[in-house]
Amino acid sequence: MENPHYKSTLEEKGFSVLDRMYSNAEIDALISCIEKAAADKKLDESSTNLFAIRQVITKIPELKPLLFTEEFHALLKILFNETYFLTKAIYFDKPSESNWFVAYHQDLSVSVDRKVDVSNYKNWTFKKGQYGVQPPLNILENIVTIRIHLDKTEKRNGALKVIPTSHLKGIYRPETIDWNTEAEHVCEVEKGGVMLMKPLILHASERTTNHKQRRVLHLEFSTKQLQKPLNWLEFDATF
């Protein structure tokens, strides 16, 4: 891999950036696959403006061989010492027509296949036809998010802002951030690059100001199963 230190950087700082993982041709194939599925109206979210596709690999299985390249498999094997699996896959498009601002937060919810009373699982939600819940801290600490950038992403088109090392502080409420001790970092990523992050890192994004798209495939991986009878909604180890 291009950066031998990205795994330790991820663990220490909560994020890391690899500027080149996919070629332009590979990125174009991913974009074409998504656009074709939308044009064929295979997606519930299909509309004139397509801003997000949840469970994107379930809905567009043709993405799998395009996403899980030999280099991507090599990345996963370095990141995980145990058997790993996919737990979530979302496609985000941040065009100027849907120009949202996201305040600082942690990703505290996971998608599960049912709602059931289980010890230490709390803050249940039901959105877009799926259940979400906040699992125990050790589950959240185990997750690694891999964001594949289909466009060059910079500060002016919604690059993520993060607070380095904030993932090491457990549940960290944004309203308690002490800007006298914390520093903000903007994660700019090249087209075809990948951003690695821990879901507990405090992160945010600004509105787009340069009228350029910021398309991202957001994948989450884990090595830990949930407490039964709960299961990961998008559990997939077949890649």
Side-chain angles (χ1 to χ4, degrees), residues 60-75:
I60 314 178
E62 299 87 352
L63 281 173
K64 258 191 179 180
L66 303 176
L67 273 173
F68 292 98
T69 62
E70 183 176 338
E71 190 165 4
F72 193 74
H73 276 290
L75 168 66

Side-chain angles (χ1 to χ4, degrees), residues 22 24 26-28 30-32 34 63 67 91-92 147-153 189-193 213-217:
Y22 295 87
N24 286 338
E26 289 171 328
I27 291 297
D28 290 344
L30 287 166
I31 293 170
S32 177
I34 294 167
L63 281 173
L67 273 173
Y91 167 75
F92 291 116
R147 292 168 59 88
I148 301 160
H149 285 250
L150 308 184
D151 301 291
K152 178 179 174 64
T153 303
V189 187
E190 295 294 326
K191 176 181 177 180
Q213 285 179 287
R214 188 211 67 179
R215 291 169 290 185
V216 173
L217 282 161

